[in-house]
Amino acid sequence: MRRLLSDSGWTLGLAGLLAALLVMTKLIQPDFGVSGLDSLGRAALPFALATLGMAVVVIAGGIDLSLASMMAVCSVTAARMMEGASDGQSALALIFVLALGAAMGALNGALVVASRVPDIVVTLAMLFVWQGTALLILNAPGGAAAPWLRALGVGGLTLPLIPEALTVWLPRSVIFLMVCLAVIWLPIRRSPLGLRFYAIGSDALAAFRSGVPVGRTKIAAYAVTGLFAALGGIAVTMSTGIGEPIPGPYLLAAVAAVVLGGVVLGGGRGGLIGPILAVFVLRLVRMDLTLMSVDPNVTTIVEGAIMVVVVMLGGVLAMRGRRT
Amino acid sequence: MSATLTPVTRLTRLLAQNPLIPLILLLAGLVLVLEIMQPGILSVFWIGNTIKVAIPLAMLAACQTLTMLTGGIDLSAGTVATITAFVMATLAPLLGVPEAVAIALACALLAGAVNGFGIAICRVHPLIMSLGTGLIANGCLLVYQRYVIATGTLIPDALVWLGTGRTWGIPNGLVLFIPFAALIIWGQRRTGFGRLLYAVGSNEGAARLSGVRSWQVLLALYTLSGLIAGLTGLILIGLVKTPSLSLALRLDLPSVAAAVVGGTSIFGGRGGYGGTIVGALILTVLTTMLTLLHMPEGARGILFGLIILAVTALYIRLTEKG
């Protein structure tokens, strides 16, 4: 029990912080309600998916600096393929984009394994490659999103058989996120593959000696990251209705949220719930500051300061813990 | 050398012991390809131009090289350079040039010291700390910018002379850069501080047990890195001649690439500034080459990334064998 508490202490703290922030938002803006939650969910969705992708690869001991560029590639591919396509065709296009994302991620991983160059350098080089690819696919923002896809991310949840009043407060974008998490991460986490991610992240040599195929596991981790990047790219197209070839500010935000969410850089520790909570905390802070009509530039300062101070506190606490 | 060594092993050993040789060969090869692509491009003017563009990149890459020697990285360098340039250019008409330069460099030092505080004393991962400092600093710059937009900007003639001018075809920037590079290379090889950087980078625990106070080393290092980034900003504004809010940001990732291509290990303890200078030149020549190819921007990006990757992979193979 104590072990469970200390393991998930960070996540519980974040959940508490998020709850406190939600209460504060309600105090600042008394009519904050269903539509406010909805816009929060929509704003956070691409960030959350990018963060999930980054979290997986960081757990496996890597880092993927090309994440935002992969999202751009997926966003433009989806927008380009869905332009003027029927509903069925656009569904096929989405499946293709997901496969594309996983393939791009797997390529990143394979290059890391084959070249023996550090992860951070390989993905830095791939950042330029994917960025160039996105520009080749679509030179300027354009394309279109299927109407049903756009509707998927807007508004509250409505289920048949259950009265609407019960579920409408839950934004569809949050449900979308939860479904992605449940369909992709839960099966992996429960399978030997998930254990191997943590194993190669915490000590690659020990994992190798215990019979874990380190190279293949690493490629798999990068492929999962690519898959989340594809979902993130689709989410960008979903919310804007077009494809955006210039990578958004997702890379730095994802690294920040991953670290804030209790995943240790260097690998082997942390989960995916913490980073998601961290994304919502960061977005909510931004929203609160906007509601208080603070200069948006000050918001950037506050965001950076939160990230640095929280991580500093974490570092100091960890040192204390080691000493005693 | 004993007679049993074959010429091949002797060659690989030579390359492994002098990692600069393959890099210089690569640079020469790239210039040769460029000359074949566009006969007659090779001239004193062109060489001067390449060096002029490479100087800010090489200086910013000094921040990355020094921090990478200890296993760190400084992702705030581009932001700090931008801030220094912008603050200097906007304050110069109000306060006079020397005061403006002093205040701007003080900002750079402050940002470096904040990095150092977080990394050395609070033990935050350098990647995260410098990223956060960069975010905060960029926010501060945007806020600052709103208050000074009306005052106009001034770029001192001395900086323009240093950044763009040339004497007998040789860029004036070398007046600053050659002593700078000599100081860094001498510092990393011959001074105690330089040796401490390698010691902390290759095994921090061992360094601490041998009596190195690593927090002091790191604090000094990141403050120095901030100062170097500030100097880069001043040179860059002399080259670009218009202060903007994203002046040096586009150099951030290439500066990491220059250090990596130059053979500095991102895990610390290996590499040096000599390689980084060649790395910066390689990247600059490469950019010229890709521009000459008249390819769409996207294809250029793809090639740039792939070449960086290939060079680094090859380089690691070459130097590991010895």
Side-chain angles (χ1 to χ4, degrees), chain A residues 17 33 42 73 80 84 97 101 116 139 169 177 179 182 190 197 234 265 272 276 312:
Chain A
L17 187 60
R42 260 186 297 160
V73 173
R80 188 109 194 236
V97 168
R116 286 188 292 161
N139 211 0
W169 57 273
L177 184 64
V179 169
R190 299 269 156 184
F197 284 174
I234 290 172
L265 276 184
L272 292 199
I276 290 190
M312 268 188 194

Side-chain angles (χ1 to χ4, degrees), chain B residues 182-206:
Chain B
L183 192 69
I184 300 258
I185 292 177
W186 175 76
Q188 73 177 17
R189 288 208 185 140
R190 298 267 176 256
T191 64
F193 182 67
R195 305 274 30 143
L196 286 179
L197 293 186
Y198 283 93
V200 170
S202 47
N203 191 337
E204 189 170 354

Side-chain angles (χ1 to χ4, degrees), chain A residues 10-31:
Chain A
W10 191 270
T11 315
L12 286 176
L14 274 176
L17 187 60
L18 184 61
L21 276 171
L22 279 171
V23 171
M24 213 177 86
T25 317
K26 188 77 186 162
L27 289 180
I28 298 168
Q29 184 88 351
D31 52 351

Side-chain angles (χ1 to χ4, degrees), chain B residues 288-314:
Chain B
T288 322
M289 207 155 102
L290 294 178
T291 318
L292 273 182
L293 281 175
H294 297 297
M295 275 201 252
E297 196 189 340
R300 265 185 280 157
I302 296 179
L303 267 182
F304 186 75
L306 287 180
I307 292 173
I308 292 179
L309 189 58
V311 169
T312 324
L314 203 69

Side-chain angles (χ1 to χ4, degrees), chain A:
Chain A
M1 182 66 204
R2 237 173 106 194
R3 173 119 178 260
L4 183 78
L5 261 184
S6 73
D7 273 1
S8 52
W10 191 270
T11 315
L12 286 176
L14 274 176
L17 187 60
L18 184 61
L21 276 171
L22 279 171
V23 171
M24 213 177 86
T25 317
K26 188 77 186 162
L27 289 180
I28 298 168
Q29 184 88 351
D31 52 351
F32 177 80
V34 174
S35 70
L37 273 178
D38 182 43
S39 67
L40 173 68
R42 260 186 297 160
L45 186 58
F47 286 96
L49 289 166
T51 304
L52 286 178
M54 188 61 89
V56 171
V57 73
V58 170
I59 285 173
I63 190 164
D64 194 341
L65 299 187
S66 68
L67 185 77
S69 324
M70 286 200 290
M71 282 170 73
V73 173
C74 293
S75 164
V76 291
T77 314
R80 188 109 194 236
M81 290 177 79
M82 281 193 287
E83 196 172 14
S86 71
D87 284 0
Q89 280 168 335
S90 30
L92 279 180
L94 287 188
I95 292 170
F96 173 77
V97 168
L98 291 179
L100 176 74
M104 285 195 294
L107 181 62
N108 278 350
L111 285 173
V112 169
V113 172
S115 68
R116 286 188 292 161
V117 175
D119 303 62
I120 189 168
V121 180
V122 173
T123 52
L124 174 67
M126 293 314 280
L127 178 151
F128 295 106
V129 173
W130 299 133
Q131 210 171 329
T133 313
L135 277 174
L136 279 187
I137 295 173
L138 205 59
N139 211 0
W148 62 267
L149 183 69
R150 298 212 63 185
L152 205 62
V154 184
L157 181 70
T158 42
L159 287 175
L161 300 178
I162 300 173
E164 204 183 284
L166 269 180
T167 58
V168 78
W169 57 273
L170 209 55
R172 281 188 197 167
S173 42
V174 175
I175 300 295
F176 183 82
L177 184 64
M178 291 303 147
V179 169
C180 292
L181 192 64
V183 170
I184 299 172
W185 181 242
L186 273 188
I188 292 178
R189 183 76 187 84
R190 299 269 156 184
S191 73
L193 187 63
L195 197 60
R196 284 180 192 158
F197 284 174
Y198 282 89
I200 65 168
S202 61
D203 191 337
L205 187 62
F208 176 72
R209 289 188 175 151
S210 334
V212 175
V214 175
R216 259 184 286 159
T217 311
K218 194 148 216 176
I219 295 175
Y222 274 95
V224 175
T225 300
L227 191 59
F228 276 119
L231 282 165
I234 290 172
V236 172
T237 301
M238 187 160 107
S239 63
T240 58
I242 52 168
E244 178 58 69
I246 304 294
Y250 302 111
L251 171 64
L252 300 189
V255 174
V258 162
V259 173
L260 202 57
V263 175
V264 180
L265 276 184
R269 283 175 60 194
L272 292 199
I273 304 296
I276 290 190
L277 289 173
V279 169
F280 280 98
V281 165
L282 287 177
R283 287 293 109 193
L284 201 54
V285 166
R286 185 162 265 260
M287 198 163 139
D288 280 358
L289 291 172
T290 317
L291 286 178
M292 292 192 309
S293 58
V294 175
D295 182 341
N297 299 320
V298 176
T299 316
T300 317
I301 304 180
V302 172
E303 235 176 24
I306 288 179
M307 175 176 135
V308 166
V309 167
V310 168
V311 178
M312 268 188 194
L313 276 179
V316 171
L317 286 180
M319 261 200 290
R320 279 260 178 90
R322 225 176 294 146
R323 250 176 230 160
T324 49

